Structure formats: C-alpha cells, structure tokens
Amino acid sequence: MTHAMRRATELALDEKTVTALRAVLKTTADEVVRAIIAEVPSYANALSGRMGGTIRRAVRTALGHYLDLAGGTGGGGDASDAAYELGRGEVRDGRSMDALLSAYRVGARVAWRGLAAGAVPAGLPAAEVAKFAELTFAYIDELSAASAAGHADELAARGLAHERHLEQLARDLLAGSSAEVLQAAAARAVWQPPSTLTVVLLPAAQARPAYRLLDHSTTLVLDDLPDSTGVLLVPEADRAHLLRQLIGRAAVVGPARPWTRASASYARAVRARSLSADIRDTEEHLASLVLSADPDAYADLRARALAPLLELPVATGRKLEETLRAWLLHHGRREEVAATLFVHPQTVRYRMQQLRDLFPDLGSPRRVLELTLAVGLQTAAD
C-alpha cells in the first residue's frame, strides 16, 4: 500500500465533500495549468494551443483519480501509470526532470488551494483538513516519483540506443561502407560528421581509458574487435597533441582522412602494426609502408636488382650491399659513406669499383631507382 493510499484510508471523504470537490475540479485544473505557465518558463509554449488542451485534460484526470482515492473508491494506479509516461514524454520533448518537478510543486500548491476552497464550505471538519492536506501532497509526491522513474528509464533506454548507433557507425566506418550508408548511420546516431577522422589502434583494455582522455563527445570507440584490439576514431585530430596524449600506451596512429574514408586510416594503422610493434605514428614510417605494400613484388624487385650480388660469397655480397646502400643514401659522397660504414675512404673506393664492375650501368637513373628501392626497406627501418 502506498503512502497516499494509507493517508486515504485515514481520511475517506464523505460523498457530500467529494461531490463539492468535483464541482471545482475543472476550475482548479485550469488554475494549475495557468500557474505552471506563469511560474515554470519551460512550459510557457508547451501548454499553449492543442497541447495545452491535452495537458489540461491530463491534470483534470489526475485530480479525478485523486478524488477517487480521497473518497475511498480508487487506488490511483492509473494516475501513476500516466505520470510515468509523462516523465518519458518529457525526455522526448527535450525537457529536464527539474522542469517537471517544478511544475509538480506549483501544481500541488495551486491544487491544494483550490480543493481546500471547495472542501471547507462543504463542511469538512477542521480536524480532517490537515489529513486532507497530507493526502494531497502525498499523492503529488507519488506522481512526481512515478514521473521521475519514467524520465530516468527513458534516458537510460535512449542512452543505450544511442551507444548502439554510435558503435554501428564506427563499424560501418571501419568496414569502408558507402557514403550513403555512412550518412544514414551518422543521422541515426545523431553524430555530426567532421571533416576528417584519424584512427588509433590500441589494445582493447586501453581503448576506454584513452577515450576518456580525449574529447569523447565526438570521438568514436570500439573495444571488441578481433585479436583484443580497440579502436578510436578521432575527429579533426591535432596530431602532435594526440600523440602526446597517447604517450605510454601501445597506440598506432593512422593518417587523417575524410570521414567517409576512415577505413583507409584504419587499414594503414593495421598494416603498420603488422610491420613492427615499435611504430606509433604511421606518418613517420611512410617509406617502410610503401615498400612493404606488395611483399611479393618487392621480393621480385630485390632479387632482380641485386642479382649480381647473389653470385658472390655471402660475406662479400653483404659488405657490398651495405656499401651500395650507404653510397645511395649519401649520394656518392665518399667521406660520408666511409663514416657511416666505419671504414677508410680508400676501402669505399675499392668496394665501389667492385660494384661498378657488377653494375656497369650504375650511373643510370633507372638503375639507381631500382637499387634504391631494393635496399630501401632496410634503410627505412634504420
């Protein structure tokens, strides 16, 4: 039994008093609505026009249930259900629970004043007036509690739905879905698309803590991808700032890409992670990423370009390859090549003569390009 029902059993207004109260019910309901409009700014527009008529009827219905309860002929259940739905509706209309509670407080005060004005002339004994007041405010408190529950449940349901929509949007982005699919997913998630997104890969356990460091009102996060991988999709990222925020975390940061092409940022971050566990900023390893884009093609290029070295003893071939790499890197400057290899410049001269014998066209642009690519992966890694 609710608090209001207990109060009602103690009071049980007689039929004469209830009849008198029903006579002022419509007037009291209208006064309640006018007072709410005047004192609670959030309802100034909501209670006008057709919506105002609906609310007035709802207030009259609530007061009618109250009189049933006060007269001992009703339990108030329907009114609590209506109040619960009212709380849910306030979320849909974009109003806070504070506004609704203020309306209840104003409504309780005005309703009590109007009902008391009808009850006392009807002969309600003075001793019963206090009980009548307690019942009135207990009833309003229960309606307030029911509305608060409806408001909270609707917020929770909307929060879960919103989170699911954001997660689906993130999955669609990583999957490289069409622009039409992505636009629809963003609309469902009530997410304003940015100009760019930058993908960050992390261990799944680090994704949420890192997410909380960022502006997570617009950042998207997933922490349930295969291989215990987490992903952040960061809008309009300040790259230097983002890298600083991720210090101490096993993060790989992809390039910034137009938001509908975030899958390209994701693909590059995934490939960078597969190359080395030490890569954090993919922009600092573009050469390695380019040279490793097609492993088979790179292996074929290397085998063909360096074929003359493969015919030499292994140790000799390795030394000449190191010399060739340094020579290409330093544009043939012998002193710098010698310093890089920790050998005498004459040694460099001798080895370069061997290389020219092996590669008669060593000075041609095409040969230089092929050899640079052939030895370039190790240079990029260094």
Side-chain angles (χ1 to χ4, degrees), residues 347-359:
T347 302
V348 174
R349 181 178 181 181
Y350 170 70
R351 291 182 184 175
M352 287 308 303
Q353 185 55 55
Q354 289 180 288
L355 286 166
R356 287 189 178 91
D357 291 339
L358 292 167
F359 301 97

Side-chain angles (χ1 to χ4, degrees), residues 82-111:
Y84 178 87
E85 292 302 323
L86 176 61
R88 294 185 61 196
E90 291 299 278
V91 175
R92 292 190 287 270
D93 290 339
R95 283 186 290 273
S96 70
M97 193 59 209
D98 288 342
L100 184 55
L101 291 177
S102 295
Y104 270 124
R105 285 193 292 271
V106 171
R109 186 187 73 241
V110 175

Side-chain angles (χ1 to χ4, degrees), residues 72-305:
T73 60
D78 292 342
S80 293
D81 292 344
Y84 178 87
E85 292 302 323
L86 176 61
R88 294 185 61 196
E90 291 299 278
V91 175
R92 292 190 287 270
D93 290 339
R95 283 186 290 273
S96 70
M97 193 59 209
D98 288 342
L100 184 55
L101 291 177
S102 295
Y104 270 124
R105 285 193 292 271
V106 171
R109 186 187 73 241
V110 175
W112 163 243
R113 186 174 62 211
L115 293 174
V120 172
L124 184 68
E128 298 296 297
V129 171
K131 293 181 181 180
F132 186 36
E134 289 176 356
L135 172 61
T136 302
F137 289 101
Y139 179 71
I140 296 297
D141 283 346
E142 290 186 4
L143 295 186
S144 298
S147 288
H151 196 277
D153 287 350
E154 182 68 15
L155 281 177
R158 287 189 168 224
L160 289 173
H162 184 231
E163 186 173 339
R164 286 195 297 271
H165 288 318
L166 288 174
E167 288 181 358
Q168 186 58 53
L169 170 61
R171 295 183 197 282
D172 289 340
L173 286 164
L174 298 186
S177 298
S178 68
E180 292 77 10
V181 169
L182 294 177
Q183 291 283 3
R188 282 193 299 273
V190 195
W191 184 79
Q192 181 61 43
S195 296
T196 65
L197 282 172
T198 298
V199 166
V200 179
L201 294 187
L202 299 127
Q206 294 184 21
R208 294 286 171 178
Y211 168 72
R212 287 190 287 270
L213 289 175
L214 309 177
D215 176 14
H216 52 264
S217 63
T218 53
T219 296
L220 302 175
V221 59
L222 290 173
D223 59 2
D224 59 352
L225 297 180
D227 302 324
S228 299
T229 297
V231 171
L232 302 179
L233 293 103
V234 185
E236 315 289 6
D238 178 335
R239 194 172 193 85
H241 181 63
L242 176 61
L243 288 164
R244 286 194 298 271
Q245 287 182 301
L246 295 170
I247 288 175
R249 301 181 186 278
V252 182
V253 181
R257 286 292 178 265
W259 79 276
T260 55
R261 296 188 55 241
S263 59
S265 181
Y266 174 62
R268 183 173 295 178
V270 169
R271 197 155 62 80
R273 186 180 59 177
S274 72
L275 285 180
S276 171
D278 296 327
I279 294 179
R280 294 187 67 249
D281 184 359
T282 57
E283 296 295 278
E284 297 296 324
H285 297 269
L286 292 177
S288 295
L289 288 163
V290 169
L291 292 173
S292 63
D294 186 338
D296 287 342
Y298 181 74
D300 291 343
L301 170 66
R302 181 174 166 81
R304 187 183 71 180

